Amino acid sequence: MHHNIVFDYFRPIYIFFIIILTILLINTIFKKNRFKLVNGFVIISISFICLLVSIYLTYLAGILTDELSVAGDPFSFFMFIIIVLVSIINFVAYFYKKPA
């Protein structure tokens, strides 16, 4: 059995987080918030939760890689880096675009 298939199950979670964080970033930058449902608390909370869960998944992938004695999944790691960057950009964009 090919053990690298285990890491393929993490990819949809990373992709989902990237999509959610990108939607939040677009909402923050272009102020498409017509219903006032997405405020600063929601943006910061969702970004923080996505970041924490992706950190845990990446840590878990490292443990699985070590235990199964297989190579890691570089694509998942790159998606993790994207999540970290977009989360940081969300924080910065919210505080930069915050109305005075």
Side-chain angles (χ1 to χ4, degrees):
M1 181 175 140
H2 193 264
H3 291 291
N4 261 352
I5 196 79
V6 172
F7 302 111
D8 291 343
Y9 294 115
F10 290 160
R11 288 181 183 181
I13 300 169
Y14 286 123
I15 292 169
F16 176 73
F17 286 160
I18 290 170
I19 291 169
I20 293 297
L21 289 170
T22 304
I23 289 170
L24 283 176
L25 182 62
I26 290 169
N27 187 358
T28 303
I29 291 174
F30 295 111
K31 296 291 184 186
K32 298 281 185 189
N33 191 8
R34 294 186 185 119
F35 303 110
K36 302 293 181 193
L37 294 176
V38 180
N39 57 17
F41 177 74
V42 171
I43 292 171
I44 300 302
S45 297
I46 291 175
S47 295
F48 190 67
I49 290 168
C50 289
L51 187 61
L52 283 179
V53 173
S54 64
I55 288 170
Y56 178 72
L57 284 177
T58 304
Y59 176 73
L60 188 62
I63 291 173
L64 288 172
T65 300
D66 189 42
E67 291 295 323
L68 297 174
S69 298
V70 295
D73 183 21
F75 188 67
S76 292
F77 182 72
F78 290 133
M79 286 190 291
F80 168 71
I81 297 297
I82 291 169
I83 290 170
V84 170
L85 291 175
V86 177
S87 293
I88 292 170
I89 292 169
N90 269 335
F91 290 128
V92 171
Y94 172 71
F95 287 112
Y96 180 73
K97 297 288 266 184
K98 186 176 171 184

